[in-house]
mmCIF file of all heavy atoms in Angstrom:
data_model
loop_
_atom_site.group_PDB
_atom_site.id
_atom_site.type_symbol
_atom_site.label_atom_id
_atom_site.label_comp_id
_atom_site.label_asym_id
_atom_site.label_seq_id
_atom_site.Cartn_x
_atom_site.Cartn_y
_atom_site.Cartn_z
ATOM 1 N N GLY N 14 2.293 22.195 -12.566
ATOM 2 C CA GLY N 14 1.958 23.615 -12.908
ATOM 3 C C GLY N 14 0.653 23.647 -13.666
ATOM 4 O O GLY N 14 0.131 22.577 -14.019
ATOM 5 N N TRP N 15 0.282 24.722 -13.979
ATOM 6 C CA TRP N 15 -0.989 24.942 -14.592
ATOM 7 C C TRP N 15 -1.034 24.262 -15.891
ATOM 8 O O TRP N 15 -0.102 24.453 -16.798
ATOM 9 C CB TRP N 15 -1.114 26.503 -14.914
ATOM 10 C CG TRP N 15 -2.400 26.775 -15.600
ATOM 11 C CD1 TRP N 15 -2.375 27.247 -16.882
ATOM 12 C CD2 TRP N 15 -3.660 26.718 -15.170
ATOM 13 N NE1 TRP N 15 -3.710 27.502 -17.201
ATOM 14 C CE2 TRP N 15 -4.497 27.179 -16.186
ATOM 15 C CE3 TRP N 15 -4.301 26.273 -13.926
ATOM 16 C CZ2 TRP N 15 -5.875 27.239 -15.918
ATOM 17 C CZ3 TRP N 15 -5.619 26.288 -13.852
ATOM 18 C CH2 TRP N 15 -6.380 26.765 -14.848
ATOM 19 N N TYR N 369 -1.410 29.229 -2.884
ATOM 20 C CA TYR N 369 -1.161 30.567 -3.635
ATOM 21 C C TYR N 369 -0.177 31.435 -2.950
ATOM 22 O O TYR N 369 -0.064 31.483 -1.681
ATOM 23 C CB TYR N 369 -2.491 31.311 -3.857
ATOM 24 C CG TYR N 369 -3.202 30.636 -4.998
ATOM 25 C CD1 TYR N 369 -3.896 29.432 -4.765
ATOM 26 C CD2 TYR N 369 -3.180 31.222 -6.255
ATOM 27 C CE1 TYR N 369 -4.690 28.839 -5.667
ATOM 28 C CE2 TYR N 369 -3.954 30.591 -7.198
ATOM 29 C CZ TYR N 369 -4.660 29.347 -7.042
ATOM 30 O OH TYR N 369 -5.331 28.822 -8.013
ATOM 31 N N TYR N 471 -11.654 26.262 -11.548
ATOM 32 C CA TYR N 471 -10.768 25.209 -12.057
ATOM 33 C C TYR N 471 -11.678 24.047 -12.594
ATOM 34 O O TYR N 471 -12.571 23.682 -12.029
ATOM 35 C CB TYR N 471 -9.821 24.635 -11.035
ATOM 36 C CG TYR N 471 -8.729 25.343 -10.654
ATOM 37 C CD1 TYR N 471 -8.303 25.590 -9.437
ATOM 38 C CD2 TYR N 471 -7.993 26.009 -11.643
ATOM 39 C CE1 TYR N 471 -7.339 26.403 -8.982
ATOM 40 C CE2 TYR N 471 -6.939 26.808 -11.354
ATOM 41 C CZ TYR N 471 -6.600 26.993 -10.061
ATOM 42 O OH TYR N 471 -5.470 27.700 -9.703
ATOM 43 N N ALA N 491 -5.206 20.066 -15.491
ATOM 44 C CA ALA N 491 -5.959 21.159 -14.800
ATOM 45 C C ALA N 491 -6.123 22.157 -15.827
ATOM 46 O O ALA N 491 -5.275 22.586 -16.599
ATOM 47 C CB ALA N 491 -4.992 21.737 -13.716
ATOM 48 N N VAL N 495 -7.850 30.607 -14.378
ATOM 49 C CA VAL N 495 -6.955 30.856 -13.175
ATOM 50 C C VAL N 495 -7.608 31.624 -12.064
ATOM 51 O O VAL N 495 -8.634 32.421 -12.460
ATOM 52 C CB VAL N 495 -5.626 31.689 -13.578
ATOM 53 C CG1 VAL N 495 -4.733 30.758 -14.457
ATOM 54 C CG2 VAL N 495 -6.059 32.976 -14.243
ATOM 55 N N HIS N 520 1.127 29.608 -7.963
ATOM 56 C CA HIS N 520 0.458 28.615 -7.044
ATOM 57 C C HIS N 520 1.001 27.208 -7.418
ATOM 58 O O HIS N 520 1.492 27.009 -8.450
ATOM 59 C CB HIS N 520 -1.004 28.741 -7.173
ATOM 60 C CG HIS N 520 -1.549 28.524 -8.533
ATOM 61 N ND1 HIS N 520 -1.457 29.452 -9.533
ATOM 62 C CD2 HIS N 520 -2.151 27.319 -9.028
ATOM 63 C CE1 HIS N 520 -2.082 28.955 -10.621
ATOM 64 N NE2 HIS N 520 -2.478 27.702 -10.474
ATOM 65 N N HIS N 522 -0.445 23.220 -7.545
ATOM 66 C CA HIS N 522 -1.375 22.192 -7.398
ATOM 67 C C HIS N 522 -0.779 20.897 -6.894
ATOM 68 O O HIS N 522 0.125 20.480 -7.454
ATOM 69 C CB HIS N 522 -2.110 21.923 -8.825
ATOM 70 C CG HIS N 522 -2.911 23.005 -9.386
ATOM 71 N ND1 HIS N 522 -4.186 23.264 -9.018
ATOM 72 C CD2 HIS N 522 -2.487 24.046 -10.199
ATOM 73 C CE1 HIS N 522 -4.652 24.281 -9.624
ATOM 74 N NE2 HIS N 522 -3.680 24.732 -10.381
HETATM 75 CU CU1 CU X 9 -3.558 26.528 -11.423
#
Side-chain angles (χ1 to χ4, degrees):
W15 180 250
Y369 285 75
Y471 283 137
V495 290
H520 60 283
H522 293 273

